[in-house]
Amino acid sequence: MREFNKCKVAFVIASAMAIVGCSGEDGKDGITPPPPSSGTSLETSINMISHSLDEGMATFEFEVTNEDDKLVSGLQKANVEIAELTEKGIARSRDDFEGERAGGNASESTAGASLTEIETGRYEFIAPMENINAATEGIIRLAVGGSEAIAKSRYTIVAKSENVHTTTTETCQGCHVDFHASDIKHSSYTAINADGETDLVAGCLVCHNNVERDHGGYARNTMQKLGHINHQKFEKDFTPTNCYTCHAEPVINTSIAGNGCSDCHTSEVSDNAMAMMASGEFDAREFHAKSLHIGLDERITIRAEHTTELSAIYMNIEGEYCTDLSLFKGEELLDIEALYADGTLSYASTYIHGYHNESLVGRESRTYNESYKGDGTKTFCHPVLDLNTPQIMASSRLTFKGGNWVDEDGKHGVSFTAYSPVSSLSDLGNVMDYDRRHSVTADSCTTCHNNETNYHKNGSYAEGGLDCVACHNNGQDRSAKNSAPGFGPMIHSMHWGVGSSAVTGEPNSATELAAENCVACHADGIELEAIPDQYIRAKAFHNGDNTKMASPIMANCVACHDSAQAINHMEQNGGEIDAEVTPDWYTQPTGESCVTCHAEGKSFGIDKFHVFDRD
């Protein structure tokens, strides 16, 4: 059956009408001059006109253009792969497979193949494949070029059957951002559709079929194995059992021995699950989320239903600095004391912080006396302040155990962090709202760290890491495995800098993602000029020496750009990572001039070298 690209057909018809309507004034002898063409390309594009599948043969008609949108003449190379939709899913057998083969592939050099330039820049490619016919369904992938004169095109998905995959380009690139631009293995195979839009999953499926090589597929790593097994190597708190992360559409399976299920499960499964599968209405995403063994649905529900609030700091009759923690389910105030007693909660605590210029500048108090008022709230009273900064505020953490809780440094359970309003130390009644610049999006952490638990110490991944700021801030001066200070610098280093190997001794999975794809976290962009001109305590850069501090932009940039040349450039322009701490360090301006050249929109703006937009 022959299928036409509608847009291209319209173009061809319009062109024909234009030729018919030519007069002697339009071109010599009434002939329209041919469109501009070239025999070379640095970038090659395929404009599909039609394709057809017949018994043992596929035929394609297309135009080829270059980077200047000129038609390209002299094409000598083309190749096509057809991954067939079978009862076992998508499969493309290798030529040496001895069983029943599916799909196929061919190039211009295949016996019986032909690549003909039927007019300037327009080609017919006839590709013999013995296993296909007019009824074959699946995925058809085409590429052309690859000679010295004509660059190889992007792999193009010519046709794709409905519902051949439930994962999407968007879910994959939630973490990978732009797979084609990365240096991950096989990134050059990233496919586009006829409209030039990335079709990542379809392109991968052509080789990484649903069927393994020994059973009639192409690769040993099936697509589902890549997702279910290989992603388990993610360094921290990614779980493939949160199926919603990758599968945008319901995952229907009718056999536990089928594709995907057998990667993790044996045939031993409950009668209830088998009955649901057989009904054809079984959605594996929901099944895994609601599994009590996994506990994901419970954790999601706890987080969705509950919030915490922390009162402004006040002084009690003993002269202690106090704050009240409230836990709500919807609008209902819950009894923290009772929930502790019955084992629902594992942790509730507060700290008091110094605050200046919309930044946390140190921990004022680490010890407190706790009590309950009888109204459901929990009170924390701190007898002594260490820093006596002009402004103070408090943070709290509260953790639900949940059914899968393990007592391990606060890594498990569902945790909530709250920040109190800011109070003047000299007049606690003088209160303002807490605010801190936070340039990452709310789901930037949970897109990859998807199991709804905590990194450590009852600090969750929710709200773009706002929990982490309670400890990792300008003045807390954490070592963070000697990665980088504060919050932003630490995150950069832990993912792509020296911190990436600080936990296990080996670089973590984030290093497989392109570090320049800042949009993965900074989906709304960044604004260098909005970064507070304020130092960060920096013992993380100095092996625990707490007498040093760093300017903020350099601290963030050097977490990744740590060569001697890069450090020298930053220091020559006012950046510092080893300034001496003074008693009033947090009030001192820095000498950084980075925004002069590197603010967004400038000739050497950060946006010229980092990605802040998704295509």
Side-chain angles (χ1 to χ4, degrees):
M1 182 176 68
R2 190 172 181 83
E3 295 186 11
F4 286 87
N5 178 297
K6 294 180 181 179
C7 294
K8 181 55 64 178
V9 170
F11 171 77
V12 172
I13 294 172
S15 298
M17 292 175 65
I19 292 173
V20 171
C22 285
S23 69
E25 297 178 356
D26 295 320
K28 186 177 180 180
D29 299 326
I31 299 174
T32 301
S37 63
S38 173
T40 63
S41 69
L42 298 176
E43 297 178 9
T44 305
S45 298
I46 302 172
N47 303 312
M48 287 300 305
I49 296 173
S50 68
H51 78 277
S52 64
L53 301 182
D54 300 293
E55 190 69 35
M57 181 177 298
T59 303
F60 304 88
E61 189 173 333
F62 53 87
E63 287 183 344
V64 177
T65 56
N66 67 7
E67 65 278 4
D68 297 321
D69 206 29
K70 291 182 179 180
L71 293 168
V72 175
S73 181
L75 180 71
Q76 297 178 347
K77 290 180 175 294
N79 62 277
V80 62
E81 296 96 9
I82 298 180
E84 186 176 349
L85 180 60
T86 72
E87 292 182 354
K88 297 179 180 179
I90 291 293
R92 178 167 68 92
S93 304
R94 289 178 176 258
D95 293 339
D96 59 357
F97 181 65
E98 296 181 355
E100 182 179 351
R101 288 188 287 183
N105 56 272
S107 71
E108 80 291 337
S109 61
T110 300
S114 64
L115 177 62
T116 306
E117 188 168 4
I118 54 181
E119 60 182 66
T120 302
R122 186 171 176 180
Y123 299 86
E124 181 184 65
F125 177 36
I126 298 176
M129 283 179 270
E130 64 178 346
N131 304 314
I132 67 166
N133 55 55
T136 298
E137 294 188 50
I139 303 171
I140 304 175
R141 186 179 75 178
L142 175 69
V144 303
S147 65
E148 290 186 6
I150 301 174
K152 188 170 183 176
S153 70
R154 292 281 298 273
Y155 286 91
T156 299
I157 302 300
V158 175
K160 179 174 68 173
S161 299
E162 295 290 330
N163 302 320
V164 293
H165 57 79
T166 59
T167 53
T168 64
T169 296
E170 290 73 23
T171 55
C172 292
Q173 296 198 154
C175 294
H176 290 286
V177 180
D178 186 350
F179 195 84
H180 182 253
S182 72
D183 58 2
I184 298 177
K185 185 178 181 180
H186 297 330
S187 60
S188 64
Y189 286 80
T190 303
I192 56 176
N193 61 24
D195 296 323
E197 301 165 334
T198 299
D199 196 344
L200 180 61
V201 180
C204 295
L205 264 171
V206 171
C207 294
H208 295 282
N209 311 150
N210 298 130
V211 180
E212 193 264 342
R213 179 189 297 183
D214 293 340
H215 295 91
Y218 189 82
R220 297 202 186 282
N221 278 335
T222 61
M223 193 66 188
Q224 57 270 18
K225 181 184 177 184
L226 290 177
H228 299 158
I229 303 301
N230 292 16
H231 278 73
Q232 291 184 25
K233 299 176 183 177
F234 199 93
E235 186 263 340
K236 181 71 173 151
D237 295 330
F238 172 87
T239 175
T241 55
N242 187 346
C243 310
Y244 292 98
T245 299
C246 299
H247 293 280
E249 301 295 333
V251 181
I252 307 300
N253 220 331
T254 59
S255 171
I256 194 68
N259 298 326
C261 296
S262 58
D263 290 328
C264 301
H265 299 283
T266 67
S267 59
E268 296 177 3
V269 68
S270 70
D271 292 338
N272 184 42
M274 292 293 288
M276 287 190 295
M277 286 179 168
S279 73
E281 299 178 356
F282 172 78
D283 185 349
R285 302 177 303 172
E286 183 181 16
F287 177 77
H288 285 84
K290 291 186 174 181
S291 166
L292 296 179
H293 176 69
I294 295 169
L296 181 64
D297 190 62
E298 179 190 37
R299 295 193 292 273
I300 291 173
T301 300
I302 290 172
R303 184 165 300 285
E305 291 182 347
H306 298 87
T307 56
T308 57
E309 292 182 5
L310 199 58
S311 74
I313 297 171
Y314 61 91
M315 186 171 287
N316 64 10
I317 58 175
E318 286 82 16
E320 298 174 317
Y321 296 87
C322 303
T323 182
D324 299 327
L325 174 62
S326 301
L327 170 63
F328 294 90
K329 183 176 183 179
E331 297 183 359
E332 178 189 1
L333 178 65
L334 301 182
D335 189 334
I336 295 176
E337 183 177 17
L339 293 175
Y340 250 123
D342 68 15
T344 300
L345 300 179
S346 66
Y347 185 83
S349 179
T350 62
Y351 293 110
I352 293 181
H353 308 274
Y355 183 84
H356 179 78
N357 193 26
E358 298 186 355
S359 295
L360 303 185
V361 295
R363 188 165 285 173
E364 283 279 6
S365 177
R366 303 166 190 273
T367 60
Y368 54 79
N369 299 310
E370 59 184 48
S371 60
Y372 298 95
K373 289 186 172 180
D375 61 355
T377 63
K378 184 175 183 178
T379 299
F380 303 84
C381 291
H382 299 252
V384 178
L385 301 184
D386 297 331
L387 305 177
N388 290 287
T389 54
Q391 291 180 301
I392 58 174
M393 45 85 64
S395 69
S396 65
R397 283 186 178 166
L398 178 146
T399 300
F400 283 83
K401 287 183 178 179
N404 298 88
W405 183 74
V406 177
D407 187 4
E408 184 187 2
D409 193 30
K411 295 178 181 178
H412 300 270
V414 181
S415 295
F416 297 84
T417 293
Y419 294 95
S420 77
V422 178
S423 302
S424 297
L425 181 60
S426 60
D427 178 8
L428 294 179
N430 183 9
V431 175
M432 58 182 282
D433 290 337
Y434 166 72
D435 190 19
R436 180 191 183 276
R437 177 181 172 274
H438 200 66
S439 64
V440 297
T441 46
D443 62 351
S444 57
C445 301
T446 52
T447 298
C448 298
H449 303 282
N450 67 352
N451 72 347
E452 296 289 339
T453 58
N454 306 318
Y455 182 80
H456 69 175
K457 301 186 184 302
N458 302 284
S460 81
Y461 297 95
E463 299 298 324
L466 273 176
D467 289 24
C468 308
V469 173
C471 295
H472 298 276
N473 51 62
N474 281 44
Q476 191 61 31
D477 208 11
R478 308 289 288 199
S479 289
K481 300 289 185 180
N482 289 329
S483 59
F487 176 67
M490 176 196 67
I491 295 299
H492 293 157
S493 181
M494 281 292 192
H495 287 77
W496 296 286
V498 297
S500 69
S501 57
V503 176
T504 65
E506 297 291 334
N508 63 40
S509 297
T511 57
E512 295 294 323
L513 308 177
E516 64 269 20
N517 284 328
C518 307
V519 68
C521 298
H522 300 282
D524 297 327
I526 65 167
E527 188 177 354
L528 285 187
E529 292 181 340
I531 296 176
D533 184 22
Q534 187 174 42
Y535 283 103
I536 304 174
R537 296 287 294 271
K539 73 178 183 181
F541 283 147
H542 299 283
N543 200 32
D545 181 354
N546 63 5
T547 67
K548 306 297 182 184
M549 57 185 183
S551 54
I553 296 179
M554 182 173 180
N556 275 279
C557 296
V558 79
C560 295
H561 304 284
D562 58 358
S563 68
Q565 182 180 11
I567 291 173
N568 182 58
H569 170 76
M570 288 182 251
E571 290 179 339
Q572 285 184 338
N573 290 277
E576 300 172 275
I577 58 172
D578 55 4
E580 295 292 329
V581 173
T582 62
D584 58 349
W585 64 271
Y586 55 87
T587 67
Q588 299 302 309
T590 73
E592 286 185 326
S593 59
C594 310
V595 297
T596 304
C597 297
H598 297 299
E600 311 83 76
K602 298 291 182 71
S603 298
F604 295 95
I606 188 172
D607 53 316
K608 300 292 193 302
F609 307 96
H610 302 75
V611 179
F612 292 101
D613 295 300
R614 293 184 185 271
D615 292 333

